[in-house]
Amino acid sequence: MNVMINGEAIALDVPVSLKGLIQDLKIEIQNIAITVNNNIVPKSRWHEVHVNAGDDISLFQAIAGG
């Protein structure tokens, strides 16, 4: 199945949750936000939201500043 992650096409072999995807990609989960098809997914739901073929996923890292 193919998905887009930050504008890059990624092929996934098996169904996976957002949490599993982040772990598979070895992305540090602190201070990031995820949208799936332009909808913010709360961190508390990452384990239950599954990635589907064609999903457009964006990962954002929070940056402190002012």
Side-chain angles (χ1 to χ4, degrees):
M1 114 175 98
N2 293 319
V3 298
M4 296 293 288
I5 301 178
N6 289 351
E8 183 179 336
I10 302 288
L12 302 175
D13 294 330
V14 295
V16 65
S17 67
L18 285 177
K19 185 172 183 176
L21 176 66
I22 297 304
Q23 291 172 338
D24 290 348
L25 295 174
K26 297 181 179 15
I27 295 172
E28 184 63 42
I29 63 170
Q30 290 183 342
N31 302 320
I32 67 167
I34 301 176
T35 65
V36 177
N37 302 322
N38 294 318
N39 296 305
I40 295 172
V41 179
K43 192 173 189 175
S44 63
R45 294 195 58 228
W46 289 0
H47 68 282
E48 65 188 44
V49 174
H50 285 81
V51 176
N52 297 301
D55 278 349
D56 185 7
I57 300 167
S58 295
L59 308 174
F60 301 94
Q61 182 150 10
I63 299 173

